[in-house]
Amino acid sequence: LGHSAQAATRTWGNAGTATSDFNLGSNWTGGLPGTADDAVFGGASSLSPNLTGSISVNSLNFSNNSNVYTLSSADTSTKLTLLSTGTGTTAGSAAIVSLISTGQETISAPIVLGAASGATQTFYQASGGLFILKGVISEANAGVNLSFTGGSTTAAAYLVSGANTYTGTTSITSGIVAVGSNSSNSNTTFFGTGGTLIFAGGQIRGSTTAPADTGKTYIIANTVNVTAATAVGVIPTRVAN
């Protein structure tokens, strides 16, 4: 069983009248989330929570189409560790669950995969939404695996642009994972350093706001294993970085 079995829900409750400090307990219904808790973002009007210190939580859950959140951090050494090894679409299941079906959510803060070596942590994006991951994704223990999944093979999307350092396998089981920026990109560690990249039904594309990727180069330095129908193409025009 994943770590999420013992999780409690803590809901972001900042209404925009005070600091948007992620680490301030009074900004949360039920208090500051801890290692056994799921941080839920729904109806609060402060849409820019900011990490002022490194913190560990079980999972993140984004559930409101009306709100577009950007989760940032004070600096690159201030990190968010996620512990859940569950799967699914409810709070406390996958390490990140985004249920938005329009618009986008963004995490620019560094993320640490906090599971044990050899465990798999899952990010889930519902059909129609976009999840942008700008911060570096690292690991607390060597060999943590990461699975990208979504509510649709062609209409659930991620944009990954960090020079990520986790060393486990990356699986794209559903949805689209776009990499890079709107120009040729020399970053080779979108999917970590050394682990196998497995296509198991999802897609990988070069991110662009134009209708085509002509003349742009994206280099991925992972062994690639295709286990199901997979496409390589262009991210839809709604994606911007």
Side-chain angles (χ1 to χ4, degrees), residues 12 19-25 27-28 32-33 39 41 48-53 55 57 60 71-72 80:
W12 179 248
T19 175
S20 58
D21 185 354
F22 185 105
N23 301 69
L24 184 63
N27 279 335
W28 296 89
L32 183 67
F41 295 89
S48 302
N50 181 63
L51 294 175
T52 56
I55 192 170
V57 301
L60 298 179
L71 176 55
S72 61
L80 175 65

Side-chain angles (χ1 to χ4, degrees), residues 25 27 30 33 39 48-49 51 57 64 87 91 109 123 138 152 160 175 199 207 209 213 240:
N27 279 335
S48 302
L51 294 175
V57 301
N64 192 324
T87 59
F123 295 172
S138 62
S152 166
V160 179
F199 291 108
S207 61
T209 55
D213 264 351

Side-chain angles (χ1 to χ4, degrees), residues 4-157:
S4 58
Q6 301 299 319
T9 297
R10 309 295 184 192
T11 301
W12 179 248
N14 186 296
T17 57
T19 175
S20 58
D21 185 354
F22 185 105
N23 301 69
L24 184 63
S26 59
N27 279 335
W28 296 89
T29 301
L32 183 67
T35 57
D37 298 324
D38 304 304
V40 175
F41 295 89
S45 62
S46 178
L47 305 180
S48 302
N50 181 63
L51 294 175
T52 56
S54 294
I55 192 170
S56 298
V57 301
N58 187 51
S59 71
L60 298 179
N61 180 278
F62 299 86
S63 60
N64 192 324
N65 271 327
S66 300
N67 293 327
V68 176
Y69 288 93
T70 298
L71 176 55
S72 61
S73 66
D75 51 52
T76 57
S77 65
T78 302
K79 302 177 182 181
L80 175 65
T81 298
L82 302 174
L83 298 171
S84 177
T85 56
T87 59
T89 62
T90 59
S93 51
I96 294 177
V97 173
S98 173
L99 298 178
I100 65 163
S101 57
T102 59
Q104 64 191 44
E105 310 288 4
T106 301
I107 299 180
S108 60
I111 293 174
V112 179
L113 303 176
S117 179
T120 297
Q121 297 191 252
T122 300
F123 295 172
Y124 174 86
Q125 171 58 57
S127 180
L130 169 66
F131 208 99
I132 299 175
L133 295 161
K134 292 184 176 181
V136 171
I137 303 173
S138 62
E139 61 193 357
N141 300 291
V144 179
N145 306 312
L146 179 58
S147 175
F148 290 96
T149 187
S152 166
T153 300
T154 59

